[in-house]
Amino acid sequence: MMIKKLTAAVMAAAMMFSLAACGEKAQKEEIAVPILEARQIEYKTCTAEIGDISEKYYKEGAYGYPYTRTVRFSASGQIKSIEVESPCDVKEGDLLCTLYTDDVEEQIEQEKIRLDQAESTVNTLRANGASADEIQMSQYDYEIEKLKYDRLVASLDDYNVYAPCDGEFSIFSGERMVEFNVNTPVNEGGMFGFCSDKSQQYLCVDVYDDPLSNVNFGTSVTLEQGALSSTGTVTDIVFQDNGDFSAYTYVISPDNKDELFDFGEIQVVFDVYSRLDTVIIPKKAVKELSGRSFVYLLVDGVKIEQDIELGIEDNKNVEVTAGLSGGEEIILN
């Protein structure tokens, strides 16, 4: 009897231990892993505004001599003398070079003989009482010979080369670096050198390699020189290319030159184009990829990509001609 009671006690203890273990396991299985919420992204934004924008370039200008005159031979022949050393300062009309004129002088002598004969014929006919028609015909012959003679005499000057303006003259050596010396053969229209035109100063802005976009003749400019200011226009664009680099010189004519000093640097602001009441956004908001221009919009907290077309720009902003209507929230970062 005692054995049965002991067995029952052991079984009851075993069942209680088993139930306790199950309870502990169930309690452990009820532990849940906490869910971490993602941090909300904060965007730096701006609003596409409706306003005015002007495309402008800010450049430094100074008074200088932008023009160069090409010096060419007016006749073919051989060089007789070179009267200057290159480079050198010259005055308009200074003799730079001469060509041999032997052939022309020989033609002049022959023509002078014919001219004298024609004049003698006219005088003889008049002295002998010839008819008016005979005298008139001989007079025509004389006038024709006189024109030929005068033309030949005048052509002697074509064998001289003169400085076309005040400035600095430099002899042109050509692509093959051919030097001009006594007896060098030359052709009519061939280049002898260059002469910088220093007869008048102009306000100039030099830009290298690429021209200013949309700047043409008549483009308005604002001029600032310290406390002085004026307005003006682009009156000429001089292009030079020496093989190593290209340069564009924008010649500016101030509306009132007396308002500026003709020395020292002058800030020239090219007012290329203005648009009123148009959509404007910061340039840094524009993204470009594979020829596309686009921005990121923030719509109800969602980032959306939007294609746009661009117009003129200034230092900070750019015009949007298509894709935005104004008022959109633009993502900057």
Side-chain angles (χ1 to χ4, degrees), residues 96-136:
L96 305 177
C97 176
T98 65
L99 305 182
Y100 288 108
T101 58
D102 297 349
D103 293 343
V104 180
E105 290 176 353
E106 183 178 349
Q107 295 178 40
I108 290 174
E109 290 179 2
Q110 295 174 357
E111 187 58 41
K112 183 65 167 61
I113 294 173
R114 289 191 288 269
L115 177 63
D116 291 343
Q117 291 175 346
E119 184 178 18
S120 177
T121 299
V122 173
N123 293 335
T124 299
L125 290 174
R126 285 176 176 171
N128 295 333
S131 66
D133 289 342
E134 290 177 323
I135 294 175
Q136 187 176 26

Side-chain angles (χ1 to χ4, degrees), residues 33-48:
V33 177
I35 299 175
L36 299 179
E37 295 183 358
R39 183 175 62 88
Q40 185 176 2
I41 300 176
E42 295 183 0
Y43 294 107
K44 183 178 180 181
T45 64
C46 69
T47 302

